[in-house]
Amino acid sequence: MKKIQAEFLEIYKLALKAKKRAYAPYSNFKVGAALKTKSGKIYTASNVENSSFGLTVCAERIAIFKAVNDGYKDFKIIAVCADKEVFPCGACLQVMNEFSPELKILLKIEGNLKVFKLKELLPFGFEKDFSL
Ligand code: THU
């Protein structure tokens, strides 16, 4: 198995920390995300639910939107964690694809940290030029 770099371990730890701030009283499924920009800035987030369930926003999208709103659009890696094994949902993968198709995604799968390419999880995402 490939060794996980210290940089990636650090970002996973930040995702774990962010998970503690999840607002998930309806699903009780707390998710944390930590996003690192290519320039080295880190944005963290957790999921925020609503009594009107459809208004819930995933941790990944909040982290990305925080970064984009701060002027960062080039991302290197996003770590995502929950109390159980989790893969980012399709909506979040599509939002990742908008900004950084080469993004790496760090997850804990079968007990081990594993780096995925966005393309592996979303091989046929909607591309900007489809609608031009
Ligand atoms: N959730 C995330 O935050 N990220 C994902 O990738 C999947 C799902 C949240 C949304 C909701 O608050 C809870 O997990 C259960 O779906």
Side-chain angles (χ1 to χ4, degrees):
M1 199 188 313
K2 257 176 87 180
K3 205 168 176 298
I4 295 288
Q5 299 172 33
E7 179 196 7
F8 291 0
L9 268 179
E10 192 55 43
I11 194 169
Y12 191 79
K13 281 188 201 155
L14 292 172
L16 285 171
K17 202 169 158 195
K19 175 165 66 72
K20 294 186 187 148
R21 293 190 291 269
Y23 178 74
Y26 305 103
S27 72
N28 273 318
F29 191 76
K30 295 183 172 189
V31 183
L35 175 71
K36 190 168 193 179
T37 69
K38 282 193 181 157
S39 58
K41 274 213 108 197
I42 292 174
Y43 289 87
T44 62
S46 56
N47 50 332
V48 179
E49 298 188 343
N50 193 278
S51 56
S52 176
F53 297 162
L55 301 183
T56 290
V57 186
C58 296
E60 298 92 314
R61 267 177 290 158
I62 296 178
I64 293 168
F65 293 157
K66 278 170 79 174
V68 172
N69 240 276
D70 248 5
Y72 297 93
K73 295 191 192 73
D74 293 322
F75 308 128
K76 181 176 179 186
I77 185 158
I78 187 166
V80 184
C81 66
D83 294 330
K84 294 184 195 164
E85 195 168 290
V86 69
F87 280 94
C89 79
C92 289
L93 293 173
Q94 179 64 37
V95 169
M96 293 171 195
N97 194 49
E98 178 73 18
F99 300 107
S100 298
E102 304 302 321
L103 186 69
K104 290 176 178 150
I105 302 170
L106 179 65
L107 307 171
K108 195 175 239 180
I109 302 298
E110 291 171 354
N112 297 307
L113 289 183
K114 190 169 172 348
V115 179
F116 292 87
K117 290 180 180 158
L118 176 55
K119 278 270 171 287
E120 286 178 79
L121 303 187
L122 186 74
F124 301 104
F126 192 84
E127 302 294 340
K128 286 177 191 166
D129 55 352
F130 286 176
S131 53
L132 294 180

Short mmCIF file of all heavy atoms in Angstrom, two decimals, residues 23-24 27 29-32 46-49 56-60 80 86-90 92, ligand 1:
data_model
loop_
_atom_site.label_atom_id
_atom_site.label_comp_id
_atom_site.label_asym_id
_atom_site.label_seq_id
_atom_site.Cartn_x
_atom_site.Cartn_y
_atom_site.Cartn_z
N TYR A 23 -23.87 20.26 12.24
CA TYR A 23 -25.23 20.45 12.75
C TYR A 23 -26.08 19.42 12.03
O TYR A 23 -26.50 19.62 10.89
CB TYR A 23 -25.70 21.89 12.46
CG TYR A 23 -27.13 22.12 12.92
CD1 TYR A 23 -27.43 22.24 14.27
CD2 TYR A 23 -28.16 22.18 11.99
CE1 TYR A 23 -28.74 22.42 14.69
CE2 TYR A 23 -29.48 22.37 12.41
CZ TYR A 23 -29.76 22.48 13.76
OH TYR A 23 -31.05 22.65 14.18
N ALA A 24 -26.24 18.27 12.68
CA ALA A 24 -26.93 17.15 12.02
C ALA A 24 -27.93 16.49 12.97
O ALA A 24 -27.86 15.27 13.22
CB ALA A 24 -25.89 16.14 11.53
N SER A 27 -30.29 13.63 10.83
CA SER A 27 -29.71 12.35 10.39
C SER A 27 -28.74 11.77 11.42
O SER A 27 -28.45 10.58 11.38
CB SER A 27 -28.95 12.54 9.08
OG SER A 27 -27.74 13.26 9.31
N PHE A 29 -25.82 12.06 11.21
CA PHE A 29 -24.67 11.65 10.40
C PHE A 29 -23.77 12.88 10.25
O PHE A 29 -24.03 13.76 9.44
CB PHE A 29 -25.16 11.12 9.05
CG PHE A 29 -24.08 10.42 8.26
CD1 PHE A 29 -23.67 9.14 8.59
CD2 PHE A 29 -23.49 11.05 7.16
CE1 PHE A 29 -22.68 8.49 7.86
CE2 PHE A 29 -22.50 10.41 6.43
CZ PHE A 29 -22.10 9.13 6.78
N LYS A 30 -22.73 12.91 11.08
CA LYS A 30 -21.85 14.08 11.07
C LYS A 30 -20.72 13.88 10.07
O LYS A 30 -20.08 12.82 10.07
CB LYS A 30 -21.26 14.30 12.47
CG LYS A 30 -22.32 14.64 13.49
CD LYS A 30 -21.70 14.92 14.83
CE LYS A 30 -22.79 15.45 15.77
NZ LYS A 30 -22.25 15.94 17.01
N VAL A 31 -20.50 14.90 9.26
CA VAL A 31 -19.46 14.82 8.23
C VAL A 31 -18.53 16.01 8.40
O VAL A 31 -18.97 17.13 8.69
CB VAL A 31 -20.09 14.85 6.81
CG1 VAL A 31 -19.02 14.70 5.74
CG2 VAL A 31 -21.14 13.74 6.66
N GLY A 32 -17.23 15.77 8.23
CA GLY A 32 -16.24 16.85 8.27
C GLY A 32 -15.47 16.88 6.98
O GLY A 32 -15.24 15.83 6.35
N SER A 46 -18.36 21.49 8.10
CA SER A 46 -19.13 20.28 8.43
C SER A 46 -20.52 20.47 7.85
O SER A 46 -20.87 21.58 7.41
CB SER A 46 -19.19 20.11 9.95
OG SER A 46 -19.74 21.27 10.53
N ASN A 47 -21.29 19.40 7.83
CA ASN A 47 -22.63 19.49 7.24
C ASN A 47 -23.57 20.31 8.12
O ASN A 47 -23.45 20.32 9.35
CB ASN A 47 -23.23 18.10 6.94
CG ASN A 47 -23.14 17.14 8.10
OD1 ASN A 47 -22.27 17.21 8.94
ND2 ASN A 47 -24.08 16.21 8.15
N VAL A 48 -24.49 21.00 7.47
CA VAL A 48 -25.47 21.83 8.18
C VAL A 48 -26.86 21.43 7.69
O VAL A 48 -27.19 21.60 6.51
CB VAL A 48 -25.23 23.33 7.94
CG1 VAL A 48 -26.28 24.17 8.66
CG2 VAL A 48 -23.83 23.74 8.41
N GLU A 49 -27.64 20.84 8.60
CA GLU A 49 -28.98 20.35 8.22
C GLU A 49 -30.05 21.39 8.55
O GLU A 49 -29.78 22.42 9.19
CB GLU A 49 -29.25 19.03 8.96
CG GLU A 49 -28.25 17.97 8.55
CD GLU A 49 -28.56 16.58 9.09
OE1 GLU A 49 -29.36 16.45 10.04
OE2 GLU A 49 -28.00 15.62 8.54
N THR A 56 -30.57 21.06 3.56
CA THR A 56 -29.30 20.59 4.12
C THR A 56 -28.16 20.79 3.13
O THR A 56 -28.34 20.59 1.93
CB THR A 56 -29.45 19.08 4.45
OG1 THR A 56 -30.34 18.98 5.56
CG2 THR A 56 -28.12 18.43 4.78
N VAL A 57 -27.01 21.20 3.65
CA VAL A 57 -25.84 21.33 2.77
C VAL A 57 -24.71 20.46 3.32
O VAL A 57 -24.43 20.46 4.52
CB VAL A 57 -25.37 22.79 2.63
CG1 VAL A 57 -24.25 22.90 1.60
CG2 VAL A 57 -26.52 23.70 2.23
N CYS A 58 -24.08 19.73 2.41
CA CYS A 58 -22.99 18.83 2.78
C CYS A 58 -21.74 19.60 3.20
O CYS A 58 -21.49 20.72 2.73
CB CYS A 58 -22.61 17.94 1.59
SG CYS A 58 -23.88 16.82 1.04
N ALA A 59 -20.93 18.94 4.00
CA ALA A 59 -19.67 19.51 4.48
C ALA A 59 -18.76 19.93 3.32
O ALA A 59 -18.17 21.02 3.32
CB ALA A 59 -18.95 18.47 5.34
N GLU A 60 -18.65 19.07 2.32
CA GLU A 60 -17.73 19.33 1.20
C GLU A 60 -18.09 20.62 0.49
O GLU A 60 -17.24 21.45 0.16
CB GLU A 60 -17.78 18.20 0.17
CG GLU A 60 -17.37 16.84 0.68
CD GLU A 60 -18.55 16.03 1.19
OE1 GLU A 60 -19.39 16.57 1.95
OE2 GLU A 60 -18.62 14.84 0.86
N VAL A 80 -12.41 14.04 3.57
CA VAL A 80 -13.81 13.95 4.02
C VAL A 80 -13.90 12.80 5.01
O VAL A 80 -13.36 11.71 4.77
CB VAL A 80 -14.76 13.68 2.82
CG1 VAL A 80 -16.21 13.70 3.29
CG2 VAL A 80 -14.55 14.72 1.73
N VAL A 86 -17.42 6.92 4.31
CA VAL A 86 -18.24 7.81 3.50
C VAL A 86 -17.52 8.14 2.19
O VAL A 86 -16.30 8.27 2.16
CB VAL A 86 -18.59 9.11 4.27
CG1 VAL A 86 -17.38 9.99 4.51
CG2 VAL A 86 -19.70 9.89 3.60
N PHE A 87 -18.30 8.23 1.13
CA PHE A 87 -17.83 8.78 -0.13
C PHE A 87 -18.62 10.06 -0.36
O PHE A 87 -19.81 10.12 -0.03
CB PHE A 87 -18.11 7.82 -1.30
CG PHE A 87 -17.11 6.70 -1.41
CD1 PHE A 87 -17.36 5.48 -0.81
CD2 PHE A 87 -15.94 6.87 -2.12
CE1 PHE A 87 -16.44 4.44 -0.90
CE2 PHE A 87 -15.01 5.84 -2.22
CZ PHE A 87 -15.27 4.62 -1.61
N PRO A 88 -18.01 11.08 -0.95
CA PRO A 88 -18.76 12.31 -1.23
C PRO A 88 -19.95 12.03 -2.15
O PRO A 88 -19.87 11.16 -3.02
CB PRO A 88 -17.74 13.20 -1.95
CG PRO A 88 -16.41 12.66 -1.57
CD PRO A 88 -16.60 11.18 -1.36
N CYS A 89 -21.04 12.77 -1.94
CA CYS A 89 -22.23 12.54 -2.78
C CYS A 89 -21.98 13.09 -4.18
O CYS A 89 -21.05 13.86 -4.43
CB CYS A 89 -23.46 13.17 -2.14
SG CYS A 89 -23.58 14.95 -2.39
N GLY A 90 -22.86 12.71 -5.09
CA GLY A 90 -22.71 13.13 -6.49
C GLY A 90 -22.75 14.64 -6.67
O GLY A 90 -22.01 15.20 -7.49
N CYS A 92 -21.75 16.94 -4.57
CA CYS A 92 -20.46 17.51 -4.14
C CYS A 92 -19.36 17.20 -5.15
O CYS A 92 -18.50 18.05 -5.42
CB CYS A 92 -20.09 16.98 -2.75
SG CYS A 92 -21.16 17.67 -1.46
N1 THU B 1 -23.50 14.54 3.84
C1 THU B 1 -22.37 15.28 3.69
O1 THU B 1 -22.12 16.25 4.43
N2 THU B 1 -21.50 14.92 2.71
C2 THU B 1 -21.68 13.86 1.87
O2 THU B 1 -20.88 13.66 0.98
C3 THU B 1 -22.82 12.99 2.04
C4 THU B 1 -23.86 13.43 3.01
C5 THU B 1 -24.42 14.91 4.91
C6 THU B 1 -25.73 15.50 4.45
C7 THU B 1 -26.63 15.15 5.62
O3 THU B 1 -26.50 16.15 6.61
C8 THU B 1 -26.05 13.85 6.17
O4 THU B 1 -24.75 13.76 5.64
C9 THU B 1 -26.86 12.62 5.82
O5 THU B 1 -27.10 12.56 4.46
#
